[in-house]
Amino acid sequence: SKLIKIFSSIMIARFILALVGLIFLTIIVFSFEKFSQNWELYYLTFGIVIGTALFPTWFFQGMEKMKYITVLTVIAKLIFTLSIFLFVTTEKDFIYVPLINSLGFIFVGFISLFIIFKDFNIRIKFQKWKRIKIQFIRGWYIFISKISINLYGATNTFILGIFTTDTIVGYYAIAEKVVRIITSLFAPFYQTIYPHVVNIIKKPKNEANNFLKKVFKYSLGISIIVFLLSILLGEFSLLLVFGEEAKNSINIFYILSPLIIILPMAYLFFNVILLSFKLDKYFSKLYIIGGITNLSMIFILFQFLEEKIIAVSLSLLITELLITLLAYILIKNKGLMD
């Protein structure tokens, strides 16, 4: 009965956020002619938001049933990838890409809900606003931190789009996307150990400290190895996947490549350690610092660098490095990883 109340109130809260997101999208798209010319592209892509709202990763993680996340995510990626080969055959078919991607996310979202209904006997039931409001309050700091990450990540692309051409934005997007794909390989591991960390912090302090130090050491070592491999194979991989057009993204990829080490550490510090010890109140402060730093660096670098794409790339790198170091200092000061 309690699970049903929690599950329902969180799902309703997520749908409210999705609706608010749709309103913001509409305002932004039709406020700029550059966006309104391709309005259908944005609305078709918004299906990813709907699919994400439907897919309760948090539930499977909390119930320690991570296999569902893995299987369903693989299914979504397979549907998307195979459909691309089937339906996208010419440049004119680009509109099918966001459509297929969105349908894949939505399909998996409904499948995940079916599994929860069937295997856990949980249904979505209407909840009083008081219960929904509690979920907003409890998740406020994490919500703000996630918004901040997306804002300064999206802000860079947005600013680049205003001051440069769509082609330049494309070169930047390719490089950043490749870096984030590489770093996302660490996410399933951290998602898996998170429930374990939550449990061991209730035990003697040394046990949690020793485990976290071990995770940090191995994560750092693996990320450095992946970083070196990416440097060696970066140009070859970009050209192989994206073709000759990716030549202009190679230098940007090399500038952003240290993120292959930085982002996994940030995920560990924020989404595993600080979250497990209920220190998420620091999330918003750190990410607000990150957002201010990012905008300040863009403004400063724009004055000195002629190539705006390099300025935006350096700004992102400096910002991510700063907030990761601040999170590490906070963890050390709190004695969580002595």
Side-chain angles (χ1 to χ4, degrees):
S1 177
K2 190 171 182 180
L3 271 178
I4 289 172
K5 289 175 182 177
I6 293 170
F7 181 79
S8 298
S9 57
I10 291 177
M11 289 303 292
I12 292 169
R14 288 165 73 88
F15 290 135
I16 290 171
L17 290 175
L19 180 60
V20 171
L22 181 60
I23 293 169
F24 271 110
L25 176 71
T26 302
I27 293 170
I28 293 170
V29 166
F30 291 103
S31 296
F32 296 90
E33 186 181 352
K34 193 170 186 177
F35 298 147
S36 60
Q37 288 174 351
N38 299 293
W39 63 270
E40 64 270 64
L41 194 65
Y42 297 99
Y43 283 99
L44 288 175
T45 306
F46 191 79
I48 297 172
V49 178
I50 297 170
T52 303
L54 288 170
F55 187 35
T57 304
W58 54 274
F59 180 84
F60 293 125
Q61 190 175 359
M63 301 297 285
E64 297 193 54
K65 300 292 183 182
M66 303 300 290
K67 64 179 181 181
Y68 290 112
I69 297 175
T70 306
V71 172
L72 291 170
T73 302
V74 169
I75 289 172
K77 299 298 182 186
L78 279 175
I79 291 172
F80 174 65
T81 307
L82 292 174
S83 298
I84 289 293
F85 282 106
L86 287 172
F87 299 106
V88 182
T89 55
T90 68
E91 289 184 5
K92 293 179 180 179
D93 296 330
F94 76 94
I95 198 71
Y96 294 134
V97 176
L99 175 63
I100 292 167
N101 205 0
S102 292
L103 289 175
F105 273 83
I106 293 170
F107 173 74
V108 169
F110 279 116
I111 292 294
S112 67
L113 291 179
F114 174 76
I115 291 170
I116 290 171
F117 298 160
K118 182 175 177 293
D119 292 0
F120 298 94
N121 197 29
I122 289 177
R123 299 286 187 275
I124 296 178
K125 294 184 177 179
F126 181 78
Q127 300 293 310
K128 294 179 180 178
W129 171 246
K130 184 180 177 181
R131 285 204 179 98
I132 299 168
K133 185 180 176 182
I134 287 171
Q135 299 303 334
F136 278 119
I137 293 170
R138 287 178 177 173
W140 174 251
Y141 293 115
I142 301 170
F143 173 74
I144 290 298
S145 70
K146 294 292 184 183
I147 286 289
S148 301
I149 295 170
N150 289 328
L151 274 179
Y152 71 68
T155 298
N156 289 12
T157 308
F158 184 76
I159 291 174
L160 200 59
I162 293 173
F163 288 97
T164 64
T165 64
D166 291 341
T167 305
I168 297 295
V169 173
Y171 295 149
Y172 174 80
I174 287 174
E176 186 186 358
K177 183 166 285 188
V178 170
V179 169
R180 294 197 182 276
I181 287 171
I182 294 170
T183 57
S184 69
L185 297 173
F186 290 83
F189 169 67
Y190 291 139
Q191 287 176 344
T192 303
I193 67 168
Y194 172 72
H196 177 67
V197 175
V198 171
N199 286 326
I200 63 172
I201 61 175
K202 301 169 187 174
K203 298 177 182 179
K205 184 180 177 182
N206 287 341
E207 187 172 342
N209 272 352
N210 291 336
F211 179 76
L212 290 173
K213 281 193 290 186
K214 190 181 292 184
V215 170
F216 172 69
K217 183 175 69 175
Y218 282 112
S219 296
L220 183 60
I222 293 170
S223 63
I224 290 172
I225 292 170
V226 174
F227 164 72
L228 294 173
L229 287 172
S230 300
I231 293 296
L232 290 172
L233 303 174
E235 183 174 350
F236 170 77
S237 301
L238 281 168
L239 293 175
L240 179 67
V241 176
F242 296 101
E244 290 297 314
E245 290 293 324
K247 276 186 176 180
N248 296 288
S249 299
I250 293 169
N251 289 335
I252 304 305
F253 172 76
Y254 286 138
I255 292 172
L256 295 175
S257 61
L259 291 175
I260 295 170
I261 299 173
I262 297 167
L263 291 180
M265 296 303 102
Y267 195 113
L268 173 63
F269 296 156
F270 283 95
N271 293 23
V272 177
I273 300 176
L274 291 178
L275 193 54
S276 298
F277 284 90
K278 300 188 183 300
L279 294 172
D280 45 304
K281 64 182 180 180
Y282 292 101
F283 279 30
S284 54
K285 295 177 183 177
L286 291 173
Y287 280 115
I288 287 171
I289 291 171
I292 294 170
T293 301
N294 184 56
L295 289 174
S296 302
M297 290 307 303
I298 288 175
F299 177 76
I300 294 168
L301 292 170
F302 269 20
Q303 311 305 313
F304 296 98
L305 297 174
E306 188 177 339
E307 293 191 50
K308 307 303 183 189
I309 189 171
I310 293 177
V312 167
S313 303
L314 287 172
S315 177
L316 178 63
L317 179 62
I318 292 167
T319 301
E320 293 286 4
L321 178 61
L322 175 65
I323 61 171
T324 303
L325 286 174
L326 290 175
Y328 178 73
I329 292 168
L330 175 63
I331 288 167
K332 296 295 284 185
N333 288 342
K334 294 288 183 180
L336 306 181
M337 202 170 60
D338 295 331

